[in-house]
Amino acid sequence: MALAGALGWPYEVKHLSYRWYEEGLRLLNLATLAGLGRAASSPLVAPWPDLVIGAGRSTEAVARWIKRHGNPALRSVFIGTPWANPRDFDLVITTPQYRLAAAHNILHNALPMHSVTVAKLADEAALWARRLSHLPPPYTAVLVGGNSGPYLFRPPAAARLGAAASRIATEEGGSLLVSTSARTSHESAAALEAAITVPALFHRWRKDDGGNPFHAFLGCAARIIVTGDSISMLAEACATAKPVLLFDIEDGRQAMRAGECLNPMPPIHWRGRDLDTTAFRLLMRYAPPRWSRDLRIVQRGAVAAGLAAWLGEEPLPRRPGREADLERAVARVRQLFGL
């Protein structure tokens, strides 16, 4: 959505629903809509687009179908890591956790693209200023994710986060602005809220919530704590140019930071907290990179660049600014059309 908006061209959003067997069809790399739940999906009809931007491997077959049956001149852009060979796309925009090799049609960005701008944060902060006026500044925003691949965000970790954030606010005489997300379990959200001992506004994520204060919290906060499972929230927090602190949702041998000081980064410990996380860790260690992702690469890069620091550590000085990832992506898409 950020890329489509930044291009400045007319666009439509297609919401797609998939049948249970879609993943099996994906293995065949077909140009088909057979895996699509038509009744629950946006219609795919003429006039056909000149550009398709897809995110999520389920969109691959749909883009191929549009090119074959709609517009043979279609340009296809995939965000993330595709199941098919990246050569099948005009452009792949990826980030380090997917470990794609360098190629002429692959753009490697440091962090995911997003729509956070200084103006947007200022507007949202102004809308919420009165609602936050009862809380003592400075504000520390706490952006909360959840389980992700080889990592679990369990209630004990949530309580640890609540206590650590409260200590920061206590030292400064300030307060917390907490926002959970779609992946935050009810149990972890409850444990986090119970562990907070300072004035706070605690927002629990709800689907289709038009009053979500996420961007207002980014705009109002003096610093931002982000759980390490969410690379997207990390990117949005870093865009504010405020101090960003990463919280490790695991500990011990399962920790995100395990082996962090070693170079090169060691393989992730093979055993997780349950069967699902163990399976994911085994894929990371022994399967081809396309089967998994490694968030540690992005975290290490953000810390090395001075964009973030781990909670409890002093951040490194920020390096000189570079061209924004979104701007680079826009330029590469425009090149596909000779612009």
Side-chain angles (χ1 to χ4, degrees), residues 1 34 42 47-48 57 93 98 124 155-156 176 178 183 198 220 233 264 270 274 314 326:
M1 292 296 297
S42 300
W48 302 109
R57 291 172 171 177
I93 303 173
Y98 298 119
E124 291 292 322
L176 302 179
V178 184
R183 289 187 293 105
V198 296
C220 292
M233 288 197 301
W270 69 271
D274 59 13
E314 288 294 325
L326 181 58

Side-chain angles (χ1 to χ4, degrees), residues 281-302:
R281 286 167 179 263
L282 290 173
L283 287 175
M284 290 176 65
R285 286 179 67 105
Y286 302 114
R290 67 188 296 193
W291 289 76
S292 64
R293 63 186 184 277
D294 192 345
L295 303 181
R296 300 177 303 164
I297 303 173
V298 182
Q299 295 162 353
R300 177 179 281 203

Side-chain angles (χ1 to χ4, degrees), residues 29-220:
N29 290 333
L30 300 175
T32 178
L33 300 183
L36 202 62
R38 298 289 192 95
S41 299
S42 300
L44 299 175
V45 296
W48 302 109
D50 297 305
L51 170 68
V52 165
I53 301 172
R57 291 172 171 177
S58 299
T59 64
E60 296 180 36
V62 177
R64 282 194 290 270
W65 184 91
I66 294 173
K67 186 177 183 71
R68 176 172 297 180
H69 299 283
N71 179 10
L74 178 78
R75 300 291 189 270
S76 60
V77 174
F78 189 89
I79 298 174
T81 180
W83 181 259
N85 193 309
R87 292 195 300 268
D88 294 344
F89 300 88
D90 295 288
L91 177 65
V92 174
I93 303 173
T94 191
T95 38
Q97 72 267 32
Y98 298 119
R99 300 166 287 179
L100 291 184
H104 74 280
N105 67 325
I106 298 180
L107 174 62
H108 290 267
N109 281 342
L111 291 168
M113 295 176 288
H114 56 80
S115 59
V116 169
T117 64
V118 173
K120 182 175 185 177
L121 296 186
D123 290 343
E124 291 292 322
L127 290 175
W128 276 76
R130 181 173 297 179
R131 298 177 64 174
L132 300 178
S133 61
H134 66 289
L135 297 173
Y139 302 132
T140 296
V142 183
L143 312 181
V144 188
N147 299 341
S148 179
Y151 308 109
L152 295 180
F153 183 52
R154 301 173 300 163
R160 180 162 52 89
L161 171 59
S166 294
R167 285 193 295 271
I168 291 176
T170 297
E171 291 172 0
E172 296 185 339
S175 50
L176 302 179
L177 307 178
V178 184
S179 179
T180 65
S181 65
R183 289 187 293 105
T184 311
S185 70
H186 174 78
E187 294 77 12
S188 293
L192 172 61
E193 188 170 19
I196 293 174
T197 58
V198 296
L201 194 157
F202 196 102
H203 177 81
R204 294 196 182 215
W205 181 89
R206 296 182 299 274
K207 187 177 181 180
D208 300 323
D209 180 9
N212 192 317
F214 179 85
H215 290 105
F217 286 2
L218 288 178
C220 292

Side-chain angles (χ1 to χ4, degrees), residues 247-320:
F247 175 77
D248 194 336
I249 65 173
E250 284 277 17
D251 55 12
R253 292 186 297 183
Q254 285 75 32
M256 294 175 162
R257 300 182 62 187
E260 177 196 30
C261 61
L262 302 178
N263 197 12
M265 188 184 312
I268 194 170
H269 183 67
W270 69 271
R271 186 173 183 178
R273 302 288 182 183
D274 59 13
L275 289 177
D276 288 341
T277 55
T278 297
F280 200 103
R281 286 167 179 263
L282 290 173
L283 287 175
M284 290 176 65
R285 286 179 67 105
Y286 302 114
R290 67 188 296 193
W291 289 76
S292 64
R293 63 186 184 277
D294 192 345
L295 303 181
R296 300 177 303 164
I297 303 173
V298 182
Q299 295 162 353
R300 177 179 281 203
V303 171
L307 298 176
W310 289 101
L311 184 59
E313 295 184 354
E314 288 294 325
L316 296 172
R318 279 191 177 231
R319 293 180 179 175

